[in-house]
Amino acid sequence: MLKRTVAILFILLSYSSSSFAQKAEADTVLIKELKQYPKKNILPVRRPVLFPEILSPIQSPNLIVKVNYWRNLTQFGINVNQASFSDNWGAGGVNSLAMGGQFSYKTDYTKTDKNFASELILQYGKLKNKDQLSRKTADRIFWDNKIALKLSKSWYFFGSINFESQFDVGYSFSKDAKGNEKRTLLSKFMAPGYLTESLGFEYKPVKHFFVRIGTGTARQTFVLDTALYRTNPKNFGVTPGKTFRNELAFQVVSSYDKEIAKNLILKSRYAMFANYEKLSRIDNRLDVTLTANVNKLINVSLSGILLYDDDSDNKMQASQTMAFGLVYKLAN
């Protein structure tokens, strides 16, 4: 009886474990089927064609294409300075009014190995202090023209012509024995006037800088007022009674014009003129202008000039001006 009972229990346990195993296997298969991800690249994808389509040129008899090789910049501005004080102003002062204007025009033509550049600068300013004679603060006519032929990457053969003079009469001021102010005539329009022609080589590695070496340079000095020597004995090197003087010389001219910082422009020009007949006395002139653009219409400029010309004075001459005013630019 005992043996029969044990056999029945063994049979029941075997059946139970077999059923449990089959159920566990079925659950595992179901889980695997649920965990399967969709197969990749189920849908076909068409790859783009990377070959560009070649377009035929436009055939139109009415189409005219022009290339502008000219670059132009026009600029003009005006400066006004005024000061006034009451009669009992403790710190002292003098009523004054100063006005000045400037016009400049630059043009450049560059095509293949040929270049033409021209620059015109007109400046004039006047200052009037109370109980004093009026004085000039600026007075200049400057016109420079150059034609160049490219020889290599940075070297050119050039020919240039330059004109320089002033608009108004110029005076020196002093006081007589009674303390009254008096003035002495020094210069006027075309007294002096300079016309300079030069041939040589130009080094221009970048757009904002160049050096011209004029091995063959001629300068004509004009003093059309033949009586000017009476108040200006040097007469700008022209023989008294004559109106013209010609010189042959070696000349070096360099220029730098670049925005050195945002809205800050540095412009400088140096000119050396060495007369072949008196190389020991070389004329030098340096012009430097630093301009800060406040906005499109307002700027502040600081200018300085150093000049040595023994036909004008035996010492170094210097001038400095600072201006705040309106300026308008037109470029194309």
Side-chain angles (χ1 to χ4, degrees):
M1 184 67 179
L2 180 60
K3 293 182 178 180
R4 184 181 297 176
T5 303
V6 172
I8 293 172
L9 289 175
F10 179 78
I11 293 170
L12 290 174
L13 289 173
S14 300
Y15 177 78
S16 299
S17 32
S18 175
S19 300
F20 179 79
Q22 292 178 358
K23 184 178 180 181
E25 184 179 357
D27 293 340
T28 304
V29 172
L30 180 61
I31 292 173
K32 287 183 178 180
E33 290 180 355
L34 292 176
K35 286 186 176 180
Q36 284 185 349
Y37 296 98
K39 295 181 179 180
K40 295 182 180 180
N41 300 328
I42 295 177
L43 298 177
V45 177
R46 183 178 180 182
R47 298 182 180 230
V49 179
L50 300 180
F51 297 100
E53 183 179 358
I54 300 176
L55 300 177
S56 60
I58 300 175
Q59 301 293 335
S60 176
N62 298 324
L63 182 63
I64 300 175
V65 179
K66 292 184 178 180
V67 179
N68 188 6
Y69 297 98
W70 291 91
R71 291 184 301 161
N72 305 301
L73 175 62
T74 304
Q75 178 176 313
F76 55 89
I78 184 170
N79 305 310
V80 179
N81 299 305
Q82 182 269 337
S84 62
F85 306 89
S86 62
D87 294 336
N88 61 342
W89 184 256
V94 59
N95 298 346
S96 65
L97 176 65
M99 296 185 65
Q102 175 175 321
F103 173 85
S104 65
Y105 175 76
K106 293 178 67 174
T107 183
D108 183 280
Y109 175 87
T110 302
K111 183 178 180 182
T112 59
D113 58 350
K114 303 176 183 64
N115 172 255
F116 168 75
S118 179
E119 181 177 15
L120 174 66
I121 299 176
L122 306 176
Q123 295 175 317
Y124 187 77
K126 203 84 169 180
L127 169 67
K128 180 66 174 71
N129 293 328
K130 184 179 179 181
D131 300 327
Q132 291 183 348
L133 298 173
S134 61
R135 291 163 165 79
K136 291 191 298 183
T137 57
D139 189 5
R140 191 185 190 196
I141 303 172
F142 177 83
W143 189 21
D144 183 70
N145 300 273
K146 179 207 69 175
I147 297 177
L149 180 65
K150 192 171 185 177
L151 302 176
S152 64
K153 181 180 178 180
S154 301
W155 285 94
Y156 296 78
F157 177 76
F158 82 93
S160 68
I161 183 168
N162 176 287
F163 172 76
E164 188 168 0
S165 188
Q166 62 191 53
F167 290 102
D168 201 2
V169 292
Y171 299 97
S172 64
F173 295 87
S174 59
K175 292 185 178 181
D176 58 18
K178 296 182 180 180
N180 298 320
E181 191 175 32
K182 65 177 183 178
R183 60 187 185 183
T184 303
L185 179 65
L186 292 179
S187 60
K188 57 174 62 176
F189 175 71
M190 291 302 291
Y194 300 99
L195 186 65
T196 306
E197 306 87 22
S198 185
L199 290 173
F201 299 93
E202 180 184 59
Y203 176 65
K204 190 175 182 179
V206 288
K207 292 183 178 180
H208 57 268
F209 172 77
F210 70 79
V211 177
R212 297 181 196 167
I213 304 172
T215 54
T217 302
R219 183 173 72 180
Q220 296 80 45
T221 303
F222 299 91
V223 178
L224 301 186
D225 185 353
T226 56
L228 187 68
Y229 73 94
R230 298 173 183 174
T231 53
N232 187 346
K234 280 190 169 290
N235 207 43
F236 301 102
V238 178
T239 303
K242 295 185 177 181
T243 60
F244 171 82
R245 178 194 180 190
N246 187 58
E247 299 175 86
L248 297 178
F250 173 79
Q251 186 183 51
V252 175
V253 176
S254 66
S255 175
Y256 183 90
D257 188 353
K258 186 182 180 182
E259 186 178 32
I260 57 176
K262 186 176 181 180
N263 297 325
L264 188 63
I265 301 172
L266 174 63
K267 182 177 181 179
S268 66
R269 181 184 177 91
Y270 169 75
M272 182 200 77
F273 185 87
N275 190 324
Y276 284 129
E277 295 182 355
K278 51 175 186 177
L279 292 175
S280 60
R281 297 181 179 182
I282 299 175
D283 299 340
N284 296 273
R285 175 171 177 141
L286 175 64
D287 295 74
V288 179
T289 302
L290 186 64
T291 303
N293 296 319
V294 180
N295 54 40
K296 291 183 178 180
L297 292 177
I298 299 176
N299 69 11
V300 180
S301 64
L302 179 64
S303 303
I305 301 174
L306 289 176
L307 172 65
Y308 175 77
D309 184 354
D310 66 325
D311 292 327
S312 177
D313 196 286
N314 294 328
K315 297 181 180 179
M316 180 76 73
Q317 302 176 57
S319 73
Q320 179 270 323
T321 57
M322 184 173 67
F324 174 83
L326 302 176
V327 64
Y328 180 76
K329 296 180 180 180
L330 179 62
N332 65 333

